[in-house]
Amino acid sequence: MAATADQTHELGARLAGLLEAGDLLVLSGELGAGKTTFTQGLGEGLGVRAGIISPTFVLVRIHPNLPEGPRPGGPDLVHVDAYRLGSAAEIDDIDLENTMDSSVTVVEWGHDRVEHLSESRLEIDLHRAIGLAAAGPSTAEGLDFDTDDTDEPRTIVMRGYGPRWPAPPGLGAAEGNN
């Protein structure tokens, strides 16, 4: 799926309609690829408290479901940034197990760190076209981290794992501004 920042947000909002408490999403991608933008769309679709920003320095932010939102009584959103965490053991130290059953948990930079938290997960890779062209998917050398170009194309790849997600949800291509 290719998407601009607006389309990335809209895709997150559409996915939120399929999510339920206990779902784990693992987001990967270079800086500026749209991980937080995607999570903001999820939050909007889940009807949680506004103001989703990257939890880089606090590691975890909990956004409670709002009774006046589109999904009253729905799950909270737990937003984690695992960039500075080096292992699954450090993930365990932040005690996500206590919120997993009542929340949708989104972990940025969580690959190889959070898979043990749930038997099912969605892995979502977000890439900016400039980042992919400059360095390929396996290295950060030479990437353009300018995040001001909100209309820059992005590639979003979703993979499902486990009994809840034997395949990624069929959301189709993102729609919106080109």
Side-chain angles (χ1 to χ4, degrees):
M1 291 176 245
T4 64
D6 287 342
Q7 292 168 344
T8 301
H9 183 276
E10 192 264 330
L11 183 67
R14 285 191 289 140
L15 177 60
L18 304 175
L19 299 177
E20 52 192 51
D23 283 339
L24 173 64
L25 284 70
V26 181
L27 306 184
S28 299
E30 64 267 10
L31 294 172
K35 295 178 298 294
T36 299
T37 299
F38 183 85
T39 305
Q40 290 167 342
L42 280 174
E44 182 180 299
L46 289 170
V48 302
R49 182 181 64 210
I52 294 174
I53 60 173
S54 179
T56 300
F57 298 105
V58 296
L59 301 180
V60 179
R61 292 187 191 276
I62 299 174
H63 300 275
N65 182 273
L66 298 173
E68 67 276 5
R71 291 183 58 182
D76 296 338
L77 175 65
V78 175
H79 187 197
V80 180
D81 187 322
Y83 182 76
R84 295 183 296 135
L85 302 178
S87 68
E90 290 184 75
I91 290 289
D92 290 342
D93 288 344
I94 59 176
D95 209 19
L96 293 175
E97 295 83 12
N98 284 330
T99 58
M100 287 287 297
D101 290 342
S102 61
S103 304
V104 169
T105 303
V106 174
V107 183
E108 296 185 23
W109 308 98
H111 185 70
D112 288 335
R113 293 179 179 99
V114 299
E115 290 80 0
H116 68 285
L117 293 174
S118 176
E119 65 179 341
S120 295
R121 68 187 179 281
L122 282 176
E123 290 188 2
I124 303 168
D125 297 332
L126 299 98
H127 300 282
R128 295 170 60 210
I130 290 175
L132 286 174
S138 62
T139 177
E141 188 175 313
L143 289 181
D144 176 1
F145 294 129
D146 178 9
T147 59
D148 293 335
D149 184 5
T150 59
D151 287 330
E152 179 184 324
R154 289 151 168 79
T155 300
I156 302 172
V157 179
M158 241 183 263
R159 291 178 306 282
Y161 295 90
R164 168 96 167 98
W165 302 109
L171 296 175
E175 297 175 5
N177 300 334
N178 289 322

